[in-house]
Amino acid sequence: MTRSLLVTGGAGFIGSNFIHMLVEDRPDWRVTNLDALTYAGNLENLTSIEGHAGYEFVHGDVTSAADVARAFEVAGRDGAAVSVVHFAAESHVDRSIASGLPFVQANVIGTQILLDAARGAETESFVHVSTDEVYGSLGATGFFTEETPLAPNSPYSASKAASDMLVRAAFKTHGFPALITRCSNNYGPWQFPEKLIPLMIANAREDKSLPVYGDGQQIRDWLFVRDHCEAILAVLERGTPGEVYNIGGHNEYPNLEIVHQILRHLGKDEGLIEYVKDRPGHDRRYAIDAGKIERELGWTPRYTFEQALPATIAWYGSQEEWLRRVRSGAYRDYYEAQYGGRPTG
Ligand code: NAD
Ligand code: TYD
């Protein structure tokens, strides 16, 4: 056992991709997955990992000091030194517009509880997985750098910015070895079909309408999830404590163009597109300058959008049962069948 990693939110989209990558690329690491199994947590993302030696799931909430302490005990058993990669969060902007408080609880309070426990456990390093949305919105030109002032516009991004500040404070005040990553929009396998790309794929496959907010000309900088996971691993292994690393794909597309590409790949009609009322406070454009992580840690994205979008569409096509169980809510029964009891979230 060379390293013990506590991953929070490992049953979600990026966390589960990260665990799959670790099992392939760092097979001798111990991986403890602390997840509350909210609606976004799906243990069916990890079925192929369940028997892996060194992997353990801990059902618990980062807002509970007792749950977090239990997870550190599991990760640190036999005296192992523990590192943390913190994914757990409420992550969907539209849900934060409907109700902000769960975002403050999970993202802000949960991060502080985790930081306190991690300091107490003398954690080796702590990677806080944040988002480019903390920087706010760009005009037609320019990029977010690590020096761009934080100006979040949604309750989601405001709660992530607050958590970033708490992580920064832990480093500045206590010398706690924390690092922050800020990534652009991800796409790929196991993404909950409420986010743009999996929602449009799932709806188009079923000939349901594709809701495009406003004029559809908002721009996001899309990154394949595996590239994000490799960047986080680079930060964990080679990053400098106290530093922020932006992660992005130099891959900007307006939403409408993404929707058209999905329709073309699936051979579906553009008539499925339905323009709906715009999202309040909708950020117009995100774009990342990832020069720092490229220069200092030698990370660059490996997947092009031209390869990875069709591969992602094909993945959802090959996972009809997974998608059906997510869309029907049946995935929520998996925990009960495996572990007994209902998920709490
Ligand atoms: P997700 O919503 O798919 O998964 C979140 C996971 O966290 C779920 O498994 C959920 O059960 C768990 N969780 C939520 N609240 C919890 C709590 N209180 N205690 C324990 N577990 C809890 O999210 P994602 O898209 O995988 O994003 C992961 C992280 O990456 C988030 O911090 C998000 O802000 C950040 N991020 C996401 C993107 C993106 O495009 N998806 C981009 C940049 C950064
Ligand atoms: P989303 O996937 O929710 O990510 P984020 O808001 O965190 O960037 O949305 C991506 C973009 O797609 C965003 O500009 C909002 C837009 N969008 C739609 O037009 N329709 C939809 O149904 C969704 C979910 C998003």
Side-chain angles (χ1 to χ4, degrees), residues 110-312:
T111 297
Q112 186 60 47
I113 287 174
L114 193 67
L115 284 169
D116 289 344
R119 279 207 305 121
E122 296 181 4
T123 296
E124 277 194 322
S125 62
F126 183 108
V127 178
H128 176 64
V129 180
S130 190
T131 165
D132 62 353
E133 302 192 25
V134 298
Y135 296 121
S137 185
L138 289 165
T141 58
F143 298 92
F144 297 132
T145 72
E146 289 80 0
E147 277 69 50
T148 302
L150 304 195
N153 294 318
S154 73
Y156 162 64
S157 54
S159 69
K160 291 296 288 187
S163 67
D164 287 16
M165 294 297 97
L166 294 172
V167 174
R168 174 191 154 93
F171 173 75
K172 293 280 183 189
T173 306
H174 302 292
F176 178 69
L179 307 94
I180 297 174
T181 62
R182 296 190 181 130
C183 189
S184 56
N185 288 63
N186 286 212
Y187 65 99
W190 294 298
Q191 187 167 28
F192 197 83
E194 63 182 352
K195 305 277 167 60
L196 180 76
I197 288 182
L199 178 72
M200 297 298 164
I201 295 171
N203 281 11
R205 286 174 51 81
E206 293 178 14
D207 294 309
K208 291 187 173 152
S209 67
L210 310 187
V212 170
Y213 299 164
D215 62 4
Q217 293 307 316
Q218 302 81 10
I219 291 173
R220 299 291 181 262
D221 180 356
W222 294 95
L223 185 71
F224 188 54
V225 63
R226 175 72 188 216
D227 280 322
H228 185 193
C229 292
E230 290 178 5
I232 292 167
L233 189 58
V235 170
L236 176 71
E237 293 187 320
R238 303 193 292 282
T240 304
E243 292 295 311
V244 175
Y245 297 92
N246 282 355
I247 304 168
H250 305 292
N251 187 54
E252 293 180 48
Y253 282 102
N255 295 337
L256 196 56
E257 169 61 20
I258 302 273
V259 173
H260 279 297
Q261 286 197 28
I262 291 170
L263 287 170
R264 272 199 300 277
H265 282 296
L266 288 171
K268 298 288 183 173
D269 195 90
E270 290 181 4
L272 289 175
I273 294 174
E274 187 189 348
Y275 290 93
V276 300
K277 195 167 162 295
D278 206 355
R279 174 188 277 175
H282 199 169
D283 287 337
R284 196 69 183 166
R285 175 172 168 258
Y286 303 143
I288 282 272
D289 177 347
K292 178 176 171 179
I293 190 171
E294 292 174 358
R295 275 190 313 276
E296 295 185 10
L297 305 186
W299 172 88
T300 47
R302 291 198 295 128
Y303 296 88
T304 66
F305 200 63
E306 290 68 32
Q307 302 162 318
L309 182 67
T312 299

Side-chain angles (χ1 to χ4, degrees), residues 61-130:
D61 196 312
V62 291
T63 65
S64 156
D67 289 357
V68 169
R70 192 158 47 88
F72 273 101
E73 268 170 36
V74 172
R77 69 184 180 280
D78 315 328
V82 177
S83 297
V84 176
V85 179
H86 179 33
F87 294 98
E90 289 292 337
S91 70
H92 191 42
V93 172
D94 293 325
R95 287 178 188 256
S96 81
I97 293 167
S99 176
L101 191 55
F103 288 71
V104 175
Q105 279 161 339
N107 301 1
V108 185
I109 296 171
T111 297
Q112 186 60 47
I113 287 174
L114 193 67
L115 284 169
D116 289 344
R119 279 207 305 121
E122 296 181 4
T123 296
E124 277 194 322
S125 62
F126 183 108
V127 178
H128 176 64
V129 180
S130 190

